[in-house]
Amino acid sequence: MSFSAIPILDISLSKRPDSKPAFLESLRNALLDIGFLYVKNTGIDHSLIQDVIAQGRSFFELPEGKKLEIQMKNKPSFLGYNKLGNEITAQKTDWREQIDLSTPHPLPGPTEPLYHNLLSPNQWPDPNLLPLFRPVYEAYMSAMSTFSRDFTSLIAEALHLPRTAFDRFFDEDQQHKLKIVKYPDVASLPAPQQSQGVGPHKDSMLTSYLLQVPPHAGLQAQNLSGEWIDCPPKDGTLVVAIGQGLEALTLGVCKSTTHRVLSPPAGSGARYSIPFFQGVSYDATFESVDVPPEILEMRDARMNVRGGRIDDVEFTFEKGRWAHLGEATLTNRIKSHPDVGEIWYPDLLAKIRPEQAAT
């Protein structure tokens, strides 16, 4: 019982009484069996999506010095620009260039928990060079914030829960994050045999929504047999990945699926993508929702058929390991960006390195 293709769900079907039950059944099966899906007819304005793509491409065309003015290690928030080869996943270099943004937040106060450093203002590129960049991305993050909350409500309904079942895990001014990513083709890399665009990983928090810019493929999801299944770009869709936080909150009903990106082949040019990451309160603890018995029975029946899961990534959100989700998130960010850790979190980095060396 291992998937070989990624399903496509039509969001418009969730808005009609006659088609909503079948939509929720398809969504429930995708959550239980795959944890990865395409969605279409999202309601996000097509012209906004085109502006997002155009402004993202324009950012990477800026002079190197202008991009480095807002590099991530300037701040403890893990927001900002990362040059090529400056991030690590699965203890290997990711060959991608990127900028991390979030929905707006002020600087945290001096008495707030250390992980509240993740709640901070963005580092924006020079508006004299890219005057439309900030308004376009603020508009897109606002639209995606609304869409992701609506989709999470549909997930709740698919699990026979109230639409508001996950609301208590969100802050009133909940932070959501976004990356704009450029994957150079392998001929542009320092060592062409290195083809890890981003290594095997599972997304954190609840749900992620990937805007893939055609025509480049490279995204792959790992099924329960350990096989890698291609997830090529499809016009008018977003790819939804279920996060580890949602798997934990639903007692394993919603699968968090390992995925990776392969660098584009030589001569094909760069691949671009814009993933949006739905956040959850960093102050949340490792409690769960009251999943109905009939849904837990569906989970158990599937587990009995397929046996153990085979993937390449440890599960982060284990009860007893962390007091709050923010602690786990901060630790993961330091692992991925040790250059930021060296400057802003040297004590935590010193604890993390022996753990990594032992794995």
Side-chain angles (χ1 to χ4, degrees):
M1 194 173 178
S2 191
F3 66 89
S4 58
I6 308 301
I8 304 174
L9 272 64
D10 185 345
I11 296 297
S12 68
L13 298 179
S14 71
K15 302 182 185 302
R16 302 202 315 262
D18 62 323
S19 56
K20 187 172 182 178
F23 171 88
L24 292 177
E25 182 180 5
S26 296
L27 176 56
R28 182 165 55 251
N29 288 334
L31 296 169
L32 282 159
D33 296 330
I34 304 172
F36 229 71
L37 60 146
Y38 293 93
V39 290
K40 65 179 183 179
N41 294 322
T42 61
I44 306 297
D45 187 80
H46 177 73
S47 63
L48 175 58
I49 289 176
Q50 296 309 305
D51 289 344
V52 164
I53 293 171
Q55 291 298 310
R57 288 181 183 271
S58 295
F59 171 77
F60 294 112
E61 294 170 0
L62 290 175
E64 183 75 4
K66 298 303 293 185
K67 290 183 286 189
L68 290 175
E69 286 178 359
I70 57 169
Q71 60 185 324
M72 184 179 284
K73 66 181 181 181
N74 291 346
K75 306 287 183 180
S77 61
F78 295 91
L79 299 173
Y81 170 70
N82 262 312
K83 62 184 180 181
L84 182 67
N86 212 42
E87 185 173 10
I88 295 171
T89 302
Q91 301 189 47
K92 293 182 180 179
T93 299
D94 292 332
W95 293 107
R96 60 179 181 172
E97 183 183 0
Q98 64 189 23
I99 180 172
D100 286 55
L101 303 171
S102 88
T103 48
H105 278 271
L107 285 168
T111 61
E112 296 183 45
L114 188 63
Y115 56 79
H116 277 196
N117 283 344
L118 301 169
L119 300 168
S120 296
N122 286 304
Q123 298 191 77
W124 294 104
D126 188 339
N128 295 314
L129 297 177
L130 290 178
L132 297 179
F133 184 92
R134 180 171 180 173
V136 162
Y137 273 94
E138 286 188 331
Y140 184 67
M141 286 190 285
S142 177
M144 287 303 303
S145 297
T146 300
F147 177 77
S148 64
R149 287 290 293 267
D150 290 343
F151 191 75
T152 305
S153 295
L154 289 171
I155 290 175
E157 289 186 89
L159 302 183
H160 299 174
L161 292 165
R163 283 182 59 84
T164 58
F166 297 108
D167 287 1
R168 60 193 170 105
F169 300 105
F170 298 118
D171 293 326
E172 185 174 346
D173 59 344
Q174 180 59 52
Q175 183 195 53
H176 307 288
K177 292 185 176 181
L178 174 147
K179 288 179 185 282
I180 313 166
V181 190
K182 176 183 178 182
Y183 298 92
D185 71 36
V186 293
S188 306
L189 301 180
Q193 72 273 17
Q194 297 172 319
S195 60
Q196 176 168 298
V198 59
H201 68 285
K202 297 174 183 176
D203 290 346
S204 301
M205 303 308 177
L206 296 190
T207 55
S208 305
Y209 305 82
L210 176 63
L211 172 59
Q212 299 191 89
V213 180
H216 293 87
L219 176 65
Q220 296 180 321
Q222 191 177 45
N223 68 19
L224 294 169
S225 299
E227 301 166 329
W228 292 101
I229 307 302
D230 290 327
C231 310
K234 297 180 183 291
D235 288 342
T237 69
L238 299 171
V239 176
V240 181
I242 300 306
Q244 295 189 68
L246 189 58
E247 180 169 343
L249 295 180
T250 61
L251 301 174
V253 169
C254 298
K255 284 182 71 290
S256 176
T257 298
T258 299
H259 51 286
R260 68 182 183 184
V261 175
L262 303 179
S263 297
S268 64
R271 176 184 185 269
Y272 296 89
S273 67
I274 301 101
F276 174 90
F277 304 97
Q278 181 187 39
V280 65
S281 175
Y282 292 130
D283 296 320
T285 56
F286 289 79
E287 55 186 312
S288 58
V289 295
D290 294 323
V291 181
E294 69 272 17
I295 301 296
L296 294 176
E297 288 175 7
M298 294 179 191
R299 176 204 64 186
D300 294 345
R302 283 163 166 81
M303 290 179 67
N304 289 336
V305 170
R306 66 194 178 209
R309 60 191 297 167
I310 301 173
D311 57 31
D312 295 338
V313 177
E314 66 172 337
F315 193 74
T316 299
F317 296 119
E318 296 176 355
K319 287 186 178 181
R321 186 176 181 185
W322 313 102
H324 299 93
L325 288 172
E327 297 171 33
T329 304
L330 178 59
T331 297
N332 282 345
R333 299 302 284 162
I334 295 171
K335 288 179 180 178
S336 296
H337 301 280
D339 59 329
V340 180
E342 287 173 353
I343 296 172
W344 299 101
Y345 305 101
D347 293 342
L348 286 177
L349 182 61
K351 295 178 181 178
I352 290 168
R353 279 182 165 155
E355 296 176 8
Q356 290 181 311
T359 58

